[in-house]
Amino acid sequence: MSKAGLYIKMAATVGGPVALFYFQPTDEELFKKYNPELQRKSLENRDARQQDFDNFVTKLKEYSKSDRPIWEAAARDEAKTRANSGEEQKKREAEIQKRREEIKRQALHGQ
């Protein structure tokens, strides 16, 4: 390979990321290009997105403390969450059924 080809490859290897960094707009520049309605929605949802991200990072830190890989710890946590939500759903359904029976009793005794 000629030296010119080598220099071209080196320039492309170094110059590509530099050009990307130079031409890529910042977050503020992108935000200014939004129409006003999108800017308003973005500002309204910013706190919720930040809270979601913070929760995500906190969970990742908890998973990393485990001796198992993160994806296994996350799968276990999801399974626990699903099991708990299923139990809560059953409790809610039982409460609703009790209320219905109570309303029926009141309706029968009230007649």
Side-chain angles (χ1 to χ4, degrees):
M1 175 177 263
S2 68
K3 288 196 177 211
L6 180 64
Y7 287 127
I8 290 173
K9 284 185 179 180
M10 286 175 37
T13 302
V14 173
V18 171
L20 181 64
F21 179 76
Y22 180 74
F23 292 114
Q24 185 176 9
T26 63
D27 292 339
E28 293 83 25
E29 291 172 345
L30 286 175
F31 184 76
K32 289 177 184 177
K33 291 181 181 182
Y34 285 176
N35 68 32
E37 184 177 328
L38 285 177
Q39 287 180 356
R40 183 182 52 79
K41 285 182 181 180
S42 178
L43 289 174
E44 288 174 356
N45 296 332
R46 181 176 286 172
D47 292 333
R49 284 194 318 266
Q50 184 63 40
Q51 184 63 36
D52 289 343
F53 179 75
D54 291 342
N55 291 340
F56 174 73
V57 170
T58 303
K59 283 187 177 185
L60 279 181
K61 287 179 182 178
E62 290 174 14
Y63 299 156
S64 68
K65 291 178 184 176
S66 172
D67 58 343
R68 297 186 175 268
I70 290 176
W71 55 90
E72 287 181 12
R76 282 185 174 188
D77 188 45
E78 275 186 33
K80 287 179 185 178
T81 304
R82 277 192 230 127
N84 289 340
S85 66
E87 291 173 6
E88 290 175 11
Q89 182 67 23
K90 288 178 184 177
K91 287 179 184 178
R92 282 189 226 125
E93 289 174 2
E95 288 176 15
I96 290 171
Q97 187 64 28
K98 287 179 185 177
R99 289 180 193 161
R100 287 180 182 167
E101 290 173 3
E102 185 178 325
I103 291 171
K104 285 180 183 179
R105 280 189 230 129
Q106 289 177 356
L108 290 175
H109 294 300
Q111 289 180 351

